[in-house]
Each structure stands twice: as C-alpha cells, then as structure tokens.
Amino acid sequence: RTFTQSCPIVSSLSLYLSRCPLCLQLFGCSAAAQVKTSRDTKGQFLSVNMAFSVGVMSAMYLTKGITGAHLNPAVPWGRLLPYCLSQVLGAYVASGLVYLVYYDAIMDFSGGVLTVYGPNETASIFATYPSEFLTLGRSFLDQVIGTAMLMLCILGLGEKRNTPAPEELIPPIVAVIVLGISMSMSANCGAAINPARDLGPRLFTLTAGWGTEVFKCYNYWFWVPLVAPLIGGVLGTFMYLIFIDWHLPDPEPPVEPSKLSTISDSVKKPTTAWENELELKVAHF
C-alpha cells in the first residue's frame, strides 16, 4: 500500500512540509498580526485559525500540479531534503512579507521593542510558543496528538476501498480538518503540527530583531514543534494502518484480458453446428 512503501518519518515529513509554501504562512501570520496589533478589535482567535486553513487549501490547489501537494506521502529519499529546505525557505520569506506589511503596526504595538515575553510581545505573530502554565511534557504530548489526528484523517481521503473524497475536493476537506484541529487543540502552544511552519518563521524572527531569545525562551522549547510532529505523524500512520487500513476489504482483482476476450468470443460467435444448419437452410431456399 502506498504510504507503507517508505519510512514513516519520510511519510510524515513529506505530508507536513508539502502543505507549507509561502501563501499558507502569509495568510496565517498576516491574520495573527492583524489580530494581535489591533488588540483583538480587527479579528479574533478564530480569524487566525480560518486564515491558516484557507492558506492550506490555496497551497494545495497551487502546488498540486507541481509536487502533487503530497497527499500521497510516499516520497523518495532523494526528494525529501529539497522539499524540506524549500518549505522552510517559503515560510521564512512569507514571514518577511508579513513583517513588511505590518511593520508600522508591529512597531506601534510593541513600542519598537521586539520581545518574546510580556503583554506587548510580537514573536508569536510568526512562530508558536507555549502558554506559561504549560509543562514541557504536556506541550510535547499536545503536538504529538494534534499531528497524529491530522495524519489519521488525511490518509483515508484517497482510499478507494473505503469512502474516498472526490479528488478536486480534497484541498478544502484538508483545510476543514486543519481548522478543526486548530480550533480545538491550539490553545496550549499554537498547534504548529508542522516543523516547517514553525522553523521558518522562527529563523526569520532570529534575524529580524527578536534575537536568540526566540530559541532560548521557555527552556529552549523550540525543539518541541520540530520533533513532536514527526512522532505524531508516525503514530497517526500506525493508527490508520492498525484500526482502518488492515480492516478494509481487499480490492477485487481485475479480470485478465485473455479471459475477457474468451468471454466476448463465446458470446459473439455462434456454435459451429448452428452455423452449419443455417447455411443448409439458406442453400435450400
């Protein structure tokens, strides 16, 4: 079966990273900047979740003809590194565009001080950070479960032995899945559920004025949204295999062409005896 043809980590990476090009990050982070710098007067928490989901859908439609949008997560090792680098770069560039568009608003909101902590912090516009009350173990579990649910729900969309989604509707369906996860599991630490979605913007804030604190804060928490989604993706894959895939009926084997021609010949061609009798009657008349 398709997604078992490669290493689970390859499957996880390809699935997450393929849906994080520039437009996904641009939509989501722009919404976050609009909500935060307006102090929730021009949008709400739901606005950010919906913007990221629209970004997912748009990114999938845009990249489907180029990379296949990678709903099939069986990606060769040779393509894994270029995909990873390109998606991190896309997220980095998107963060830069958001920064340029909302520069005045960010500076007005923060008083010109770019920080990670406090009521006027702006680093969370770009990357994800945990709530102050959250323990490291609980935040790790949060990302594992969120990503596992993403993988579990996505893997069945193209399964012809079950109830496959129409191919042209897969992007909006994935967007709704992402929306559901972000609406229900993003309060703890932002629901990154994608290493590239978090690393690219974090690298941008490192170079744009927020400094090394974006990696040092919360006891070097930055590695959680990088590692936990990989484990969650593998977990979701195994969950799909064990509880869904292995219980689906095997597809019916196709009829061999030789058998089809034999059946066709037997239907179309009359028997020799009948042909002989018909020829005798015609000759008689």
Side-chain angles (χ1 to χ4, degrees):
R1 297 187 172 107
T2 308
F3 59 87
T4 60
Q5 295 172 357
S6 62
C7 172
I9 293 181
V10 179
S11 302
S12 303
L13 275 173
S14 63
L15 191 58
Y16 308 141
L17 300 181
S18 62
R19 292 194 322 281
C20 190
L22 186 144
C23 69
L24 187 161
Q25 199 71 23
L26 185 62
F27 282 14
C29 289
S30 293
Q34 178 173 299
V35 172
K36 177 171 280 292
T37 58
S38 69
R39 302 186 187 276
D40 295 337
T41 60
K42 297 179 181 178
Q44 301 172 340
F45 182 66
L46 179 60
S47 305
V48 181
N49 296 331
M50 294 182 67
F52 269 112
S53 300
V54 172
V56 168
M57 179 180 66
S58 303
M60 292 183 68
Y61 274 124
L62 284 171
T63 60
K64 185 178 180 182
I66 301 173
T67 65
H70 287 291
L71 280 181
N72 176 355
V75 172
W77 278 106
R79 296 183 182 180
L80 180 62
L81 182 59
Y83 284 162
C84 294
L85 293 177
S86 64
Q87 299 307 328
V88 171
L89 177 61
Y92 183 97
V93 173
S95 299
L97 292 175
V98 173
Y99 181 68
L100 291 176
V101 171
Y102 281 96
Y103 177 83
D104 294 333
I106 290 173
M107 291 302 168
D108 179 71
F109 175 84
S110 64
V113 180
L114 304 178
T115 63
V116 179
Y117 301 103
N120 293 330
E121 65 82 19
T122 49
S124 63
I125 290 175
F126 302 95
T128 61
Y129 294 89
S131 300
E132 294 184 0
F133 58 81
L134 198 64
T135 63
L136 183 64
R138 204 78 67 190
S139 64
F140 192 89
L141 179 65
D142 175 275
Q143 289 295 285
V144 169
I145 293 177
T147 315
M149 291 301 99
L150 175 65
M151 181 67 80
L152 176 64
C153 295
I154 286 177
L155 283 175
L157 293 181
E159 179 55 72
K160 293 181 172 56
R161 297 172 299 153
N162 200 351
T163 51
E167 186 176 354
E168 63 276 8
L169 294 181
I170 286 180
I173 293 173
V174 173
V176 172
I177 294 172
V178 172
L179 178 61
I181 293 173
S182 60
M183 287 178 63
S184 60
M185 287 181 268
S186 61
N188 283 336
C189 46
I193 58 174
N194 185 325
R197 175 264 175 273
D198 189 84
L199 180 59
R202 197 176 298 275
L203 289 173
F204 171 78
T205 53
L206 171 68
T207 58
W210 281 263
T212 58
E213 197 63 28
V214 298
F215 283 94
K216 293 179 179 179
C217 65
Y218 299 102
N219 196 23
Y220 295 89
W221 182 84
F222 77 93
W223 65 271
V224 173
L226 298 181
V227 178
L230 301 181
I231 297 176
V234 175
L235 176 62
T237 300
F238 282 122
M239 289 173 62
Y240 182 81
L241 275 172
I242 295 170
F243 297 110
I244 304 296
D245 184 78
W246 291 348
H247 300 280
L248 293 174
D250 292 330
E252 295 182 1
V255 180
E256 297 179 5
S258 59
K259 292 183 179 179
L260 284 174
S261 61
T262 302
I263 296 172
S264 176
D265 292 343
S266 63
V267 172
K268 293 181 179 179
K269 293 183 179 180
T271 61
T272 305
W274 188 84
E275 285 181 341
N276 293 337
E277 183 179 353
L278 180 60
E279 288 177 358
L280 289 173
K281 290 182 178 180
V282 171
H284 176 73
F285 286 106

